[in-house]
C-alpha cells in the first residue's frame, strides 16, 4: 500500500452515523495524531461520501454500528444510523473494500481530555465529529498505535 503521508503509520477515516453524521480523517504517526478534517455532515451527503471514501487509500475505515434492543424499539423511530450503515456497507462491498465496525461503547475509553491532549478536539457541532474521532483513536490503538 502506498502511503500519501511521509511519516504515516496509518490513516483512518471514521464515521459516527446519524441524522447529523460525524466524520474524521486522521493520520497516526509514531509520535502523534493529526486531524486532516472532522465535521458533521447531513444525511443527504452520505452516498457521495461513501463512494469518495471507498476510492481513497485509507488503511482503515471504521464506523459505529447500531444495534436494536428492546430499549431502542420503545423510543421514537430514527432510522438514519442504520440507513447510513447500509449505504456504506453496499458501497464498500461493491468496491471490494473492508469496512470495520465498533460498538457505541467502544469509543467511551477515549474521553474529552484524551482527545484534547492528542490535538484531536473538534470545536462546535453536537459532538458527533468528536465521537468519530474517538472511534479513529480506538481503531488506531487496536491496530498497534501508541502515542509517545
Amino acid at each position: 500500500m502506498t502511503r500519501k503521508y511521509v511519516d504515516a503509520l496509518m490513516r483512518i477515516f471514521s464515521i459516527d452515523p446519524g441524522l447529523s453524521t460525524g466524520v474524521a480523517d486522521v493520520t497516526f504517526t509514531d509520535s502523534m495524531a493529526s486531524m486532516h478534517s472532522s465535521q458533521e455532515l447531513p444525511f443527504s451527503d452520505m452516498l457521495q461520501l461513501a463512494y469518495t471514501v471507498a476510492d481513497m487509500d485509507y488503511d482503515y475505515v471504521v464506523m459505529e454500528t447500531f444495534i436494536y434492543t428492546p430499549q431502542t424499539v420503545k423510543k421514537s423511530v430514527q432510522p438514519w444510523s442504520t440507513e447510513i450503515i447500509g449505504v456504506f456497507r453496499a458501497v464498500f462491498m461493491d468496491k471490494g473494500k473492508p469496512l470495520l465496525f465498533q460498538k457505541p461503547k467502544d469509543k467511551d475509553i477515549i474521553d474529552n481530555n484524551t482527545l484534547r491532549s492528542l490535538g484531536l478536539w473538534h470545536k462546535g457541532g453536537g459532538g458527533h465529529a468528536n465521537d468519530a474521532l474517538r472511534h479513529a483513536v480506538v481503531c488506531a490503538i487496536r491496530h498497534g498505535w501508541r502515542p509517545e
Side-chain angles (χ1 to χ4, degrees):
M1 176 177 294
T2 305
R3 303 231 185 254
K4 295 181 180 182
Y5 297 91
V6 176
D7 286 334
L9 279 175
M10 66 183 86
R11 187 167 177 207
I12 297 173
F13 192 89
S14 55
I15 306 115
D16 179 56
L19 182 58
S20 178
T21 295
V23 298
D25 178 356
V26 186
T27 295
F28 295 87
T29 67
D30 287 330
S31 59
M32 59 179 273
S34 61
M35 176 173 43
H36 300 289
S37 67
S38 68
Q39 57 191 314
E40 295 184 12
L41 297 172
F43 180 78
S44 59
D45 291 349
M46 292 301 108
L47 182 60
Q48 182 59 48
L49 177 66
Y51 276 106
T52 300
V53 171
D55 287 338
M56 305 255 328
D57 191 24
Y58 290 103
D59 294 295
Y60 303 102
V61 177
V62 62
M63 173 177 264
E64 182 177 292
T65 193
F66 185 86
I67 300 168
Y68 283 98
T69 66
Q71 290 77 25
T72 57
V73 173
K74 291 178 186 176
K75 298 177 182 178
S76 65
V77 177
Q78 298 179 2
W80 306 286
S81 295
T82 53
E83 289 175 0
I84 291 168
I85 291 166
V87 165
F88 272 82
R89 278 188 179 198
V91 169
F92 275 65
M93 283 174 48
D94 181 54
K95 297 280 189 174
K97 296 276 188 107
L99 180 61
L100 304 178
F101 290 93
Q102 292 177 3
K103 295 176 185 172
K105 69 178 183 173
D106 291 348
K107 70 181 179 288
D108 295 346
I109 64 168
I110 308 299
D111 62 18
N112 292 346
N113 290 333
T114 301
L115 282 182
R116 286 185 182 102
S117 70
L118 292 171
L120 297 179
W121 183 254
H122 174 86
K123 295 179 185 176
H128 305 290
N130 282 324
D131 285 345
L133 288 162
R134 292 178 221 287
H135 283 296
V137 174
V138 169
C139 181
I141 290 169
R142 287 181 175 170
H143 288 92
W145 180 75
R146 300 289 181 271
E148 293 181 348

